[in-house]
Amino acid sequence: MRPSAVRLVLLVLPSVVTLAALSATGAVALALQERTIREATGERVLEVASSLADLPEVRETVGAVTAKGSPAALAGADDLAEATAVLQPIADLVGEAAGVYYVVITDDEGVRITHPLAAERGVQVETANASVLAGETFTGTEIGASGPSLRAKVPVRDAAGQPVGMVAVGVLESEIASELDAAVRALLPWAVGALLVATLAASVLTATVERRFRRLDVIAAEHAQMRRTTVALREQSHEFSTRLHVIHGLVSRGDVDEARGYIEEIAAVRRPVDAGGAGDEPVPDDLPVLAAMTQTVRTELSDLGARVRFDLAVEFDVDEGVVSVVANLCRNAAEAGAATVVCALRNADDRIVGSVDDDGPGVEPRIAARIFVPGFTSKTDASVWGRGLGLDVVWRIVTARGGSVEVGLSALGGARFAFELERAG
C-alpha cells in the first residue's frame, strides 16, 4: 500500500472506528432492550394467566361447563352464556388492571367463554394447544384473531386437579413494538450525546494525527534537502580539489598570469576592484590574507550592486575561517537587498571580534531564530544551489572556535550580525 493511502486510512480510521463502535453499541442496546421488554411481558402475562386460573370462581365456573359440549359437538355461545356472565367481568377487570390486550378463558375443548370481542365468544380458539388442555403451560408468540401476540396459556384445573379448560392472556406484538419505540426515544438523547462526544474525540485525534503527519512531512523535506545539499557539496568538493591541483601546477611552474586568469575564469567574476571603499584605511603589507579578503569581498559585492566599507583594527593576519565568516555575512547582506555594507574587525586579546551592518530590509523577529538552520533562506530564489548555506557556515565556524554570532537591528536600518571567535593557533 502506498504511503498516501496509509496516511488516508490512518486519518479516517478514528472516525470509522467511532461510528462502528457506536453502531455496534446501539445495536446491542436495542437487542438487549427488546429482550428485556419481551422477558418482562412474558413474565407478566404468565403471572396474570396463572393467577386467574387459580381463582376459585374460575375453576368452579369452567368445571361446571365441561358437560356442555364434546369434541364432536362443541358448546356454543348460548351454552356458555351463564359462565360468560360470571367470568367476563372478572376477565375485563384483570385485563385492565394488568395492562394486557386480552384475557380469554375456554372450556376443555378450547371454546372461548370470555373474549374482549363478543363475536369471538362461543368460538373455538384457532391456536388451541392440546398440550395446555392436557395440563402443560405455554408461553410464546402466536397469530390469533387479533393478530400476532405474545401470550401465556395456563390450564384451569378442577378440585381433583384435572384440566377442565385454560386461561390465555396476551399482549399484541404491535404494543411491544410501541414500547420498544418509546424506550428508543428515551435513549436517543443519550445516543446523540455519545455520538457528539465521540465525534469530537475522533476529530481531536484526527487533528493530532494530521499534525504529526505534517511534522513528519517537514522532517522528510528537511532530510531530502540535506541529502541534496550533501550530494552537491560532495560534487563541488571534488571539482574544487581538481581545480586546486591545476592552480598548484600553474603556480609551481611560475605561470602566475595563467593561474590568475584560470582563477578568474572558474570564479566567474570580473577583475578585482583595486580602489578602497570610502573611509577605508589601507591594509598593511604584512597582512596579505586580510588585504586579499577586503579586495575580494569588495569585488563580489560590487557585482551584486552594493558597496562595502571596512573598519579594521587588527594587528595580525586573519585565517581562512575569519575570511569565510566575513565573506558569507557580507554576501548575505548584499543578496538580501542592501546597498551599503559596513564590516568592522578588531583584536580582543586572543579573540577576533567583528560585525557586519547593512541598510537592507533587516531580519524579521519571527525568523531570527531559524536563519542559521541549514537550508533556510528568506530569498525568493531559493531554488538556486547554495541558498540558505552561508549563515549555516558562519554558525558552524564561530561555534567550532568557541565563539558566537548574534543578529539584531543595525544603525543603518537593516540587519546587524555581531560575531566573535578565537584566533586560529
Side-chain angles (χ1 to χ4, degrees):
M1 186 179 291
R2 292 182 299 177
S4 58
V6 174
R7 177 171 179 171
L8 179 61
V9 170
L10 290 177
L11 289 176
V12 175
L13 187 59
S15 298
V16 173
V17 171
T18 299
L19 292 176
L22 284 176
S23 300
T25 302
V28 171
L30 287 177
L32 290 176
Q33 187 69 24
E34 182 180 13
R35 180 179 176 181
T36 300
I37 292 174
R38 284 189 170 278
E39 289 179 350
T41 303
E43 291 175 358
R44 177 157 55 95
V45 295
L46 179 60
E47 183 178 357
V48 172
S50 299
S51 299
L52 189 57
D54 286 337
L55 285 178
E57 294 88 343
V58 174
R59 295 172 64 182
E60 291 175 3
T61 303
V62 173
V65 298
T66 55
K68 297 290 184 177
S70 66
L74 298 177
D78 294 337
D79 298 325
L80 302 175
E82 293 184 6
T84 301
V86 174
L87 298 179
Q88 189 63 53
I90 298 175
D92 291 340
L93 180 61
V94 171
E96 184 178 355
V100 296
Y101 181 71
Y102 67 82
V103 175
V104 172
I105 304 173
T106 74
D107 64 7
D108 56 343
E109 276 83 35
V111 177
R112 299 186 185 98
I113 301 174
T114 68
H115 193 280
L117 302 177
E120 296 295 329
R121 300 166 191 166
V123 179
Q124 189 179 40
V125 295
E126 294 87 345
T127 56
N129 295 78
S131 59
V132 177
L133 294 174
E136 296 182 5
T137 298
F138 169 82
T139 303
T141 298
E142 291 181 333
I143 300 176
S146 303
S149 61
L150 177 61
R151 59 190 64 179
K153 296 181 179 180
V154 178
V156 178
R157 301 177 185 274
D158 60 14
Q162 295 300 315
V164 292
M166 68 178 176
V167 175
V169 178
V171 175
L172 292 177
E173 289 287 345
S174 58
E175 293 184 5
I176 296 177
S178 298
E179 189 174 350
L180 179 60
D181 289 341
V184 170
R185 287 194 295 272
L187 289 175
L188 188 59
W190 296 97
V192 172
L195 179 60
L196 292 177
V197 172
T199 301
L200 179 61
S203 300
V204 172
L205 180 58
T206 300
T208 302
V209 173
E210 177 63 19
R211 283 197 298 270
R212 295 292 179 87
F213 276 133
R214 289 177 181 175
R215 291 177 185 174
L216 291 176
D217 288 342
V218 172
I219 294 174
E222 291 178 351
H223 286 176
Q225 177 64 32
M226 187 65 69
R227 286 194 296 271
R228 291 193 295 269
T229 301
T230 301
V231 171
L233 288 174
R234 188 180 296 114
E235 293 175 352
Q236 189 188 57
S237 177
H238 179 74
E239 183 180 3
F240 185 67
S241 177
T242 301
R243 290 173 175 175
L244 284 180
H245 282 86
V246 174
I247 295 172
H248 181 269
L250 291 173
V251 173
S252 298
R253 290 167 45 191
D255 299 328
V256 178
D257 292 337
E258 287 78 0
R260 182 182 294 111
Y262 178 74
I263 293 173
E264 291 175 355
E265 179 182 354
I266 63 176
V269 297
R270 61 184 177 84
R271 288 186 176 275
V273 176
D274 293 328
D280 283 2
E281 295 291 335
V283 180
D285 294 338
D286 60 342
L287 304 177
V289 177
L290 183 61
M293 178 193 74
T294 58
Q295 189 179 52
T296 301
V297 171
R298 186 174 292 113
T299 300
E300 185 174 8
L301 265 64
S302 178
D303 289 338
L304 294 172
R307 60 188 181 87
V308 60
R309 180 168 60 85
F310 288 95
D311 181 8
L312 305 175
V314 294
E315 300 174 356
F316 47 79
D317 209 358
V318 296
D319 59 89
E320 60 176 331
V322 177
V323 172
S324 182
V325 170
V326 172
N328 275 293
L329 289 177
C330 291
R331 184 188 310 112
N332 182 76
E335 290 178 345
T340 301
V341 180
V342 177
C343 176
L345 206 62
R346 63 184 179 85
N347 301 134
D349 297 328
D350 61 344
R351 302 180 75 80
I352 297 177
V353 179
S355 63
V356 173
D357 292 77
D358 65 64
D359 61 353
V363 178
E364 296 182 22
R366 65 184 179 85
I367 66 172
R370 294 184 289 152
I371 59 175
F372 296 105
V373 175
F376 177 84
T377 178
S378 60
K379 304 178 181 67
T380 57
D381 186 15
S383 61
V384 178
W385 183 87
R387 291 286 191 262
L389 296 177
L391 294 180
D392 173 55
V393 171
V394 170
W395 175 266
R396 286 189 287 109
I397 291 175
V398 298
T399 54
R401 290 171 56 170
S404 62
V405 57
E406 298 177 352
V407 60
L409 181 64
S410 170
L412 300 179
R416 172 182 175 83
F417 287 85
F419 63 89
E420 55 92 16
L421 68 164
E422 292 180 354
R423 176 184 175 184

